[in-house]
Amino acid sequence: MKIELLFPEVCGLYGDAQNYEYLKKSLPDAEFIVTDFLSTPYFFEKDPDIICIGSMSEEMQRKVLDKFRPRKDRINELIEKGTVILATGNAAELFCEKIEYITEKKETEGLGVFPLTAKTDLFKRYNGKVLGECDGIEIVGFRAQFSFIYGDNSDCFFLKMIRGDGINKESGFEGMRKNNLMCTTCLGPILPLNPLFTEYIISLAGGSEKAAFREEAMSAYEKRLAEFHDPKVKF
Amino acid sequence: MKKIRFFIALMAAKLARFLLKLLGRNASYLPGEVALKISKDFLGHLKLPETVICVTGTNGKTTVSNLLTSILAKNGYSVTNNSFGSNVQAGVAAALLADSNIFGKSKKDIAVLEVDERSSLLVYPYINPDYLVVNNIMRDSIKRNAHTGFIDYIISSALPEKTKLVLNGDDMITSNLAPQCKNRTYFGLDAEKPEVSEKPFLSDIVYCPECGALLESEYLRYNHIGRMYCPSCGKKSPERDYLCTDVDRENSTFTVSLKGKEHTFNLINDNIVNIFNFTGAIAILSEIGLSVSQIEKGFSQSEIVKSRFDTLKAGKLDVTFIMAKGQNPIACARCFSYAASIQKENKLLLIDIDDLHDNINESESTCWLYDCDYSYLADDSISEIIFTGPRCRDQLLRAVLAGVDKNKIILEPDVSKAVDLIDTEKYKDVIVLYELYRQPDADKMKIQIKNLGEGTK
Ligand SMILES: [Zn+2]
């Protein structure tokens, strides 16, 4: 199995970079390709089984999009082929039609995979928790963001929410999904936080390995899951 | 009209302060909030002290502003300071109005104001500080501070051109702040240069801010703190006007070159982060005109606030208490690194760093653990780790993922029971790391450990 980690040196805010480490520990025999921002992504020409990209600054979002936009067709080709692509935090927004930066009075064209718009306001920080369901697996996660995504994702969501907000405060569906492209506003360590989801991702890419440190990860996951279901715990 | 509102605000705030004091309550925030509710630009109408120094940055604000306040006071200056209160806009207002007369004129010589980075836009445009000291800008609370680009943006947008900046020259983010402020001086450390710099666990600046090329480093001490340069456009860490050239740990002194002449000062604490803080403090004290002997006197009579670093002897047990800032991955990693470096072998760590408030009818976001370098805890000198608190299972997972042997780890969700797990037969050296807001836990643990060590339990 080949796994490409995109730009961890700049797209690894909020613990996102350790998602990769968790995959590495879970897949000791896989080949990991770490691509820095100044290099050409492996996926431009070749076929990795899993691609990961994490949270970044707003300036970096614009730079990453400038790099990706000319290869929009290739990205769509990989999505159609069923390559597993996991975009966490505001990397999810790259796949929208447009990102508007309200504070900086800028906007940038996205990859347009989903007919949605992200709006970023640096003076409005949102923090939240996520309890949602993806293919029968309960996912727990945390969010911290300046942005919300607007538009209808009811037929292309990543999670059906059990508790917590969706792509915006009015939505009951979090993130976006098309085939195995999974975009979630949950922050980076979504994999160590969700060992069952980690195993699900591995299985989508054709593997059968178990999540690393499964016992410890399941114990933390189950405790959190119980807390997130507890109505006393604020969301 | 604005003036009238200001005077009403001032009177209301002073009344609120008087009543709070009468009730024996904390008056370091609420009076400021009352004033700002009535008069939004309240800070702009106050007649401030002759010199206003603001201190900001991710780590070390409180240490530096406490130290400045204490050294200035020892040299006969009267000082307004908010470090024991709140460092947001209302805290700054509360501190300033407490020391002003009924016309809003300050009764003090100098204000030393610790300012939360996120309050920059609400504070600097109104009080126009004469000096701003910035220790460092690095990854901090995910929930509140987002990322360093955001912090850079708000501090830089808020500062008036006339403010003189006193910046950490060994921090490429800090040293590039607010280019509109032309009057700037830098401090840094040359002592104990690392011979080999390992690739840091994470760095908040990787590419050149001028040309976007990959930055290289002469050396890095931790994260992005060190000397960097761009091989493409020639941009580099700035020359430092105040430079710590030597640290003598045995004799507890450190040497700082001030305008080309070297002077030795009492080393209050030998943690590298604090040596940066001390050098920054010397830089600003010198900038406002204190003589070397005045600064030396200040350092010789100062100590670091006990609550941040304390030691205790309990029977056979030697115990060190270190306050760690939860939700702040780099500050916490610094504490892990320090804990790994002190006392050479067979030590036990008791770690109580879960957020207090985020675990009361809440479930703390543990994303920050993954930005914190737990590999320090894999150090051979650490024989056992007790993780205590509601998130101890998450701590365990994070630690094993960083390479810590799981057989070394014990979990105790109930903080009040953690001390009972210390095996006094096996361990003599114990280090307790506790979260900033968990001081009451630490106080209770001190009593429990005393009883345990002295065999009275
Ligand atoms: Zn350059």
Side-chain angles (χ1 to χ4, degrees), chain B residues 284-324:
Chain B
I284 179 66
L285 290 168
S286 173
E287 285 292 321
I288 62 168
L290 260 70
S291 68
V292 171
S293 64
Q294 283 178 305
I295 303 174
E296 277 169 350
K297 174 178 145 195
F299 270 89
S300 68
Q301 296 170 0
S302 293
E303 57 179 25
I304 202 151
V305 182
K306 262 262 182 309
S307 63
R308 302 208 152 220
F309 181 90
D310 201 6
T311 53
L312 171 81
K313 185 127 184 78
K316 283 198 309 180
L317 292 176
D318 282 319
V319 192
T320 306
F321 281 81
I322 303 171
M323 184 191 276

Coordinates of all heavy atoms in Angstrom, one line a residue, chain B residues 284-324:
Chain B
I284 N 14.7 45.3 27.9 CA 13.7 46.4 28.1 C 14.1 47.3 29.2 O 14.0 48.6 29.1 CB 12.3 45.9 28.2 CG1 11.2 47.0 28.4 CG2 12.1 44.9 29.3 CD1 11.1 47.9 27.2
L285 N 14.7 46.8 30.3 CA 15.1 47.6 31.4 C 16.2 48.6 31.0 O 16.2 49.7 31.4 CB 15.5 46.7 32.6 CG 14.4 45.9 33.3 CD1 14.9 44.9 34.2 CD2 13.4 46.9 34.1
S286 N 17.1 48.0 30.2 CA 18.1 48.9 29.7 C 17.6 49.9 28.7 O 18.0 51.1 28.8 CB 19.2 48.0 29.0 OG 20.2 48.7 28.4
E287 N 16.7 49.6 27.9 CA 16.1 50.5 27.0 C 15.4 51.7 27.7 O 15.5 52.8 27.2 CB 15.0 49.8 26.1 CG 15.6 48.9 25.0 CD 16.3 49.7 23.9 OE1 15.8 50.7 23.5 OE2 17.4 49.2 23.5
I288 N 14.7 51.4 28.8 CA 14.1 52.5 29.5 C 15.0 53.3 30.4 O 14.6 54.2 31.1 CB 12.8 52.1 30.2 CG1 13.2 51.1 31.4 CG2 11.8 51.5 29.3 CD1 12.0 50.9 32.3
G289 N 16.3 52.9 30.4 CA 17.2 53.8 31.1 C 17.8 53.3 32.4 O 18.5 54.0 33.1
L290 N 17.4 52.0 32.8 CA 18.0 51.6 34.1 C 19.5 51.3 33.9 O 19.9 50.8 32.8 CB 17.3 50.3 34.6 CG 16.3 50.5 35.7 CD1 15.0 51.2 35.1 CD2 15.9 49.2 36.3
S291 N 20.3 51.5 34.9 CA 21.7 51.3 34.8 C 22.0 49.8 35.0 O 21.1 49.1 35.6 CB 22.5 52.1 35.8 OG 22.2 51.5 37.1
V292 N 23.1 49.3 34.6 CA 23.5 47.9 34.8 C 23.4 47.5 36.3 O 22.9 46.5 36.6 CB 24.9 47.6 34.2 CG1 25.3 46.2 34.6 CG2 24.9 47.7 32.7
S293 N 23.9 48.4 37.1 CA 23.9 48.0 38.6 C 22.5 48.0 39.1 O 22.1 47.1 39.9 CB 24.8 49.0 39.4 OG 24.2 50.3 39.3
Q294 N 21.6 48.8 38.6 CA 20.2 48.7 39.0 C 19.6 47.4 38.6 O 18.8 46.7 39.3 CB 19.4 49.9 38.4 CG 19.6 51.2 39.1 CD 18.8 52.3 38.4 OE1 18.9 52.5 37.2 NE2 18.0 53.0 39.2
I295 N 19.9 47.0 37.4 CA 19.4 45.7 36.9 C 20.0 44.5 37.6 O 19.3 43.6 38.1 CB 19.6 45.5 35.3 CG1 19.0 46.7 34.6 CG2 19.0 44.2 34.8 CD1 19.3 46.7 33.1
E296 N 21.3 44.6 37.9 CA 21.9 43.5 38.6 C 21.3 43.4 40.0 O 21.0 42.3 40.5 CB 23.4 43.9 38.8 CG 24.3 43.5 37.6 CD 25.7 44.1 37.7 OE1 26.0 44.9 38.6 OE2 26.5 43.7 36.8
K297 N 21.1 44.5 40.6 CA 20.5 44.5 42.0 C 19.1 43.8 41.9 O 18.8 43.0 42.7 CB 20.3 46.0 42.5 CG 19.6 46.2 43.8 CD 19.5 47.6 44.1 CE 18.2 48.0 44.8 NZ 18.0 49.4 44.9
G298 N 18.3 44.2 40.9 CA 17.0 43.6 40.7 C 17.1 42.1 40.6 O 16.3 41.4 41.3
F299 N 18.0 41.6 39.8 CA 18.1 40.1 39.6 C 18.6 39.4 40.8 O 18.2 38.3 41.2 CB 19.0 39.8 38.4 CG 18.3 39.7 37.1 CD1 18.1 40.8 36.3 CD2 17.7 38.5 36.7 CE1 17.4 40.8 35.1 CE2 17.0 38.4 35.5 CZ 16.8 39.5 34.7
S300 N 19.5 40.1 41.6 CA 20.1 39.4 42.7 C 19.0 39.3 43.8 O 19.1 38.4 44.7 CB 21.3 40.2 43.3 OG 20.8 41.5 43.8
Q301 N 18.0 40.1 43.8 CA 17.0 40.0 44.8 C 15.7 39.4 44.4 O 14.7 39.4 45.1 CB 16.7 41.4 45.4 CG 17.9 42.1 46.0 CD 17.6 43.6 46.3 OE1 16.5 44.1 46.0 NE2 18.6 44.2 46.9
S302 N 15.7 38.8 43.1 CA 14.4 38.3 42.6 C 14.4 36.8 42.7 O 15.4 36.1 42.7 CB 14.2 38.7 41.2 OG 14.1 40.1 41.1
E303 N 13.2 36.3 42.7 CA 13.0 34.8 42.5 C 11.8 34.6 41.6 O 11.0 35.5 41.5 CB 12.9 34.1 43.8 CG 11.8 34.6 44.7 CD 11.7 33.8 46.0 OE1 12.7 33.2 46.4 OE2 10.6 33.7 46.6
I304 N 11.8 33.4 41.0 CA 10.7 33.1 40.1 C 9.5 32.8 40.9 O 9.7 32.3 42.1 CB 11.1 32.0 39.1 CG1 10.2 32.0 37.9 CG2 11.0 30.6 39.8 CD1 11.0 31.4 36.7
V305 N 8.3 33.2 40.5 CA 7.1 33.0 41.3 C 7.1 31.6 41.7 O 7.1 30.6 40.9 CB 5.9 33.4 40.5 CG1 4.6 33.2 41.4 CG2 6.0 34.8 40.0
K306 N 7.0 31.4 43.0 CA 7.0 30.0 43.6 C 6.1 29.0 42.9 O 6.4 27.9 42.7 CB 6.7 30.1 45.1 CG 8.0 30.1 46.0 CD 8.3 28.7 46.5 CE 9.4 28.5 47.4 NZ 10.7 29.0 47.1
S307 N 4.9 29.5 42.6 CA 3.9 28.6 42.1 C 4.3 27.9 40.8 O 3.8 26.9 40.5 CB 2.5 29.3 42.0 OG 2.7 30.3 41.0
R308 N 5.2 28.6 40.0 CA 5.5 28.0 38.7 C 6.6 26.9 38.8 O 6.7 26.1 37.9 CB 6.0 29.2 37.8 CG 5.0 30.2 37.7 CD 5.0 31.0 36.4 NE 3.7 31.5 36.2 CZ 3.1 31.5 35.0 NH1 3.7 31.1 34.0 NH2 1.9 31.9 34.9
F309 N 7.4 27.0 39.8 CA 8.4 26.0 40.0 C 8.8 26.0 41.5 O 9.1 27.0 42.1 CB 9.7 26.5 39.2 CG 10.8 25.6 39.3 CD1 11.0 24.6 38.3 CD2 11.8 25.6 40.3 CE1 12.0 23.7 38.4 CE2 12.8 24.7 40.4 CZ 12.9 23.7 39.5
D310 N 8.6 24.8 42.0 CA 8.8 24.7 43.5 C 9.4 23.3 43.8 O 9.1 22.4 43.1 CB 7.4 24.8 44.2 CG 7.6 25.3 45.6 OD1 8.7 25.5 46.1 OD2 6.5 25.3 46.3
T311 N 10.2 23.3 44.9 CA 10.7 22.0 45.3 C 10.3 21.7 46.7 O 10.0 22.6 47.5 CB 12.2 22.0 45.2 OG1 12.7 23.1 45.9 CG2 12.7 22.0 43.8
L312 N 10.3 20.4 47.1 CA 9.8 20.0 48.4 C 10.6 18.8 48.8 O 10.8 17.9 48.0 CB 8.3 19.7 48.2 CG 7.5 19.0 49.3 CD1 7.1 20.1 50.3 CD2 6.3 18.4 48.8
K313 N 10.9 18.8 50.1 CA 11.6 17.5 50.6 C 10.6 16.9 51.5 O 10.1 17.6 52.4 CB 12.9 18.0 51.3 CG 13.7 16.8 51.8 CD 15.2 16.9 51.3 CE 16.0 15.7 51.7 NZ 15.7 14.5 50.9
A314 N 10.3 15.7 51.3 CA 9.4 15.0 52.2 C 10.0 13.6 52.6 O 9.9 12.7 51.8 CB 8.0 14.8 51.5
G315 N 10.6 13.5 53.7 CA 11.3 12.3 54.1 C 12.4 12.0 53.1 O 13.2 12.9 52.8
K316 N 12.3 10.8 52.5 CA 13.3 10.5 51.5 C 13.0 11.1 50.2 O 13.9 11.1 49.3 CB 13.3 8.9 51.3 CG 14.0 8.1 52.4 CD 14.3 6.7 51.9 CE 13.0 6.1 51.3 NZ 13.2 4.7 50.8
L317 N 11.8 11.6 50.0 CA 11.4 12.0 48.7 C 11.9 13.5 48.4 O 11.7 14.4 49.2 CB 9.9 12.0 48.5 CG 9.2 10.7 48.5 CD1 7.7 10.9 48.5 CD2 9.6 9.8 47.3
D318 N 12.5 13.6 47.2 CA 12.8 15.0 46.6 C 11.8 15.2 45.5 O 11.8 14.6 44.5 CB 14.2 15.0 46.0 CG 15.3 15.1 47.1 OD1 15.0 15.8 48.1 OD2 16.3 14.4 47.0
V319 N 11.0 16.2 45.8 CA 9.9 16.4 44.8 C 10.0 17.8 44.2 O 10.2 18.8 44.8 CB 8.5 16.3 45.5 CG1 7.4 16.3 44.5 CG2 8.4 15.1 46.4
T320 N 9.8 17.8 42.8 CA 9.8 19.1 42.1 C 8.4 19.3 41.5 O 7.9 18.4 40.9 CB 10.9 19.0 40.9 OG1 12.1 18.7 41.5 CG2 11.0 20.4 40.2
F321 N 7.9 20.5 41.7 CA 6.6 20.8 41.1 C 6.8 21.8 40.0 O 7.4 22.8 40.2 CB 5.7 21.5 42.2 CG 5.0 20.5 43.1 CD1 5.7 20.0 44.2 CD2 3.7 20.0 42.9 CE1 5.2 19.1 45.1 CE2 3.2 19.1 43.7 CZ 3.9 18.6 44.8
I322 N 6.3 21.4 38.8 CA 6.4 22.3 37.7 C 5.1 22.6 37.1 O 4.3 21.7 36.8 CB 7.3 21.7 36.5 CG1 8.7 21.3 37.1 CG2 7.5 22.7 35.4 CD1 9.5 20.5 36.1
M323 N 4.8 23.9 37.0 CA 3.5 24.3 36.4 C 3.6 24.2 34.9 O 4.5 24.7 34.3 CB 3.1 25.7 36.8 CG 1.7 26.2 36.3 SD 1.5 27.9 36.5 CE 1.0 28.0 38.2
A324 N 2.6 23.5 34.2 CA 2.7 23.4 32.8 C 1.4 24.0 32.3 O 0.3 23.9 32.9 CB 2.7 21.9 32.4

